[in-house]
Amino acid sequence: MASLNIRNVEKHYGDLRTLKGVNIDVEDGEFLVLLGPSGCGKSTLLSAIAGLAPVSSGQIVIDGVVVNDIESAKRDIAMVFQSYALYPTMTVRRNLTFGMRVRGASRQQQDEAVKRVAGILQLDQLLDRKPSQLSGGQRQRVAMGRAMVRQPKIFLFDEPLSNLDAKLRTDMRAEIKKLHLREKTTTVYVTHDQIEAMTLATKIVVMQGGEVQQIGSPQTIYEHPENLFVARFIGSPAMNCINGTLKLEGADAVFVGGAQATAGLRVNLGAISEGYRPYVGKKVVLGVRPEWLAHSADTTSPELIQAVVDVVEPTGSDNFVILLACGETLMARFAPGVGVTGQRVGLAVDLSKALLFDATTEQRIAR
Ligand code: ADP
Ligand code: MG
């Protein structure tokens, strides 16, 4: 168990700045997820923590000790990669204990470690099999077990589930979560999958282009994204982001937008707040998640967004409904059975949730 601090870390490959001044604090027992699109620097940061590649500048601190000059093997970290890299000719048991044997652990120590890990990961019945006799999920568990025999200070995972099919991925996700709840080992987990991030993390770091975009709990990242990149990256289907202008009507802040300038899409945001006041007359982006749009049969009220249903995508538990309003395409999440192609509907925006962004800086405007 350990804390981890990443202080102003830079990593350059020639002229390419792969990590740009990254600062992250991970408390003892936290499950930190690094989330971002492919190429944003997640694996580079993980390698820096593991000590597999030196950083260009900045510090990696584990339990208060700067480890930049401590070699990987001495950092007491265990890493699980996307490719499990099991030894094909060895049994599960020997795969699990390989590292221990190399370090000269006694037979008894090996047996105890195998017993503990096999129990946690339900590998007891598989110990005498070879990797070729295991399913993808079982191989994944062996790869995790190999990392766990050591009871390291920190677990690092680099997209460990991305080679598994959808069902197994969901099962293994739950296994990893249970394991963390039980063992509470400080974990840094890399993924580009936002569902994995939302379900596993105690804290998410959203990265783009080698920079941290936001750090926060899954709920904070979902409900209060700090900029349009985070807003659009998190959530499926994605947040509706509508370009427009903020106006003052009496005491109310009113968003007017939509692709058709003539028939503006109008949303009264209520009494203007101090945060919104400087943006009157400025270009803004209204952010509304699909479930923040409520369906109404009132197709005349000017207080609702009047829209026409274009496409209905039933998922069983929800209807994802694509609507057209003032030239804008909107996505709403309705109850099953709600929404028929061609139908006119009124849409009410959940004003307690809707977000406003500065169209120029793309930063969220605090109310
Ligand atoms: P991610 O894991 O988020 O997909 P990576 O950390 O693997 O991203 O890579 C980030 C960027 O650094 C990419 O543009 C990649 O091409 C570059 N990069 C990674 N490793 C090297 C390397 N050894 N030499 C040069 N460029 C690298
Ligand atoms: Mg990677």
Side-chain angles (χ1 to χ4, degrees):
M1 305 272 275
S3 63
L4 168 69
N5 309 91
I6 294 156
R7 295 194 186 142
N8 235 350
V9 163
E10 294 261 338
K11 176 70 183 179
H12 306 162
Y13 290 109
D15 289 341
L16 185 70
R17 275 176 84 199
T18 296
L19 297 175
K20 302 172 186 165
V22 173
N23 285 289
I24 301 169
D25 294 317
V26 190
E27 282 162 39
D28 185 20
E30 255 189 312
F31 197 113
L32 184 92
V33 172
L34 299 178
L35 175 67
S38 181
C40 74
K42 304 180 297 293
S43 295
T44 304
L45 184 53
L46 214 61
S47 298
I49 298 166
L52 300 175
V55 298
S56 303
S57 63
Q59 291 180 326
I60 307 284
V61 182
I62 296 175
D63 260 349
V65 177
V66 178
V67 297
N68 289 44
D69 296 327
I70 296 180
E71 65 178 283
S72 184
K74 301 227 168 85
R75 291 191 188 184
D76 201 3
I77 275 172
M79 194 154 170
V80 181
F81 297 92
Q82 179 177 351
S83 57
Y84 321 133
L86 301 179
Y87 300 104
T89 59
M90 293 183 197
T91 61
V92 168
R93 183 190 305 277
R94 287 183 74 77
N95 264 286
L96 289 175
T97 55
F98 181 77
M100 298 186 83
R101 293 201 307 278
V102 169
R103 284 188 298 277
S106 71
R107 189 57 196 256
Q108 192 192 343
Q109 285 171 320
Q110 291 178 37
D111 287 348
E112 278 169 9
V114 167
K115 191 159 176 246
R116 179 176 61 83
V117 168
I120 295 170
L121 293 172
Q122 294 155 32
L123 295 171
D124 315 71
Q125 308 301 316
L126 309 173
L127 291 171
D128 297 318
R129 291 200 200 169
K130 301 265 175 70
S132 61
Q133 298 167 299
L134 302 175
S135 70
Q138 290 168 335
R139 281 180 214 172
Q140 222 312 317
R141 292 216 294 273
V142 177
M144 279 173 52
R146 213 168 39 173
M148 283 168 58
V149 286
R150 279 207 290 125
Q151 293 186 295
K153 279 188 177 166
I154 301 178
F155 269 135
L156 303 179
F157 291 92
D158 196 351
E159 312 222 13
L161 306 185
S162 52
N163 283 342
L164 304 178
D165 65 39
K167 167 81 170 77
L168 257 178
R169 216 158 53 220
T170 314
D171 292 349
M172 280 308 295
R173 204 168 68 201
E175 296 279 338
I176 291 175
K177 181 152 188 159
K178 265 195 281 183
L179 192 66
H180 180 257
L181 287 173
R182 207 173 128 156
E183 305 285 305
K184 299 202 170 53
T185 308
T186 308
T187 301
V188 182
Y189 185 105
V190 163
T191 183
H192 63 270
D193 180 327
Q194 46 149 328
I195 306 288
E196 259 172 52
M198 295 293 289
T199 52
L200 287 172
T202 55
K203 195 150 95 185
I204 296 178
V205 177
V206 182
M207 293 179 64
Q208 186 207 16
E211 280 179 309
V212 171
Q213 296 290 319
Q214 186 169 358
I215 302 179
S217 69
Q219 193 186 353
T220 300
I221 299 259
Y222 188 81
E223 293 191 342
H224 300 283
E226 278 175 15
N227 57 46
L228 279 174
F229 174 80
V230 177
R232 290 190 173 117
F233 192 73
I234 304 276
S236 177
M239 185 185 283
N240 298 293
C241 294
I242 312 159
N243 287 297
T245 311
L246 194 66
K247 300 212 162 134
L248 189 63
E249 290 184 9
D252 288 352
V254 176
F255 171 86
V256 182
Q260 282 169 9
T262 45
L265 182 155
R266 194 175 163 284
V267 180
N268 188 330
L269 301 171
I272 191 154
S273 63
E274 284 315 299
Y276 284 0
R277 195 176 290 278
Y279 289 88
V280 171
K282 302 252 167 70
K283 291 212 177 307
V284 293
V285 177
L286 180 69
V288 183
R289 294 217 177 271
E291 65 273 23
W292 302 347
L293 285 171
H295 169 275
S296 164
D298 184 341
T299 55
T300 55
S301 169
E303 293 306 311
L304 301 174
I305 299 172
Q306 296 303 335
V308 176
V309 174
D310 189 24
V311 180
V312 180
E313 298 174 335
T315 68
S317 56
D318 301 290
N319 267 4
F320 291 121
V321 178
I322 300 169
L323 302 119
L324 300 174
C326 304
E328 283 291 318
T329 301
L330 301 176
M331 174 66 88
R333 181 179 195 151
F334 293 153
V338 176
V340 177
T341 299
Q343 181 189 16
R344 300 188 64 85
V345 297
L347 296 172
V349 175
D350 184 341
L351 297 176
S352 70
K353 297 259 169 85
L355 304 170
L356 216 52
F357 298 88
D358 182 323
T360 312
T361 65
E362 303 205 335
Q363 297 297 303
R364 179 165 54 82
I365 304 168
R367 243 179 253 206

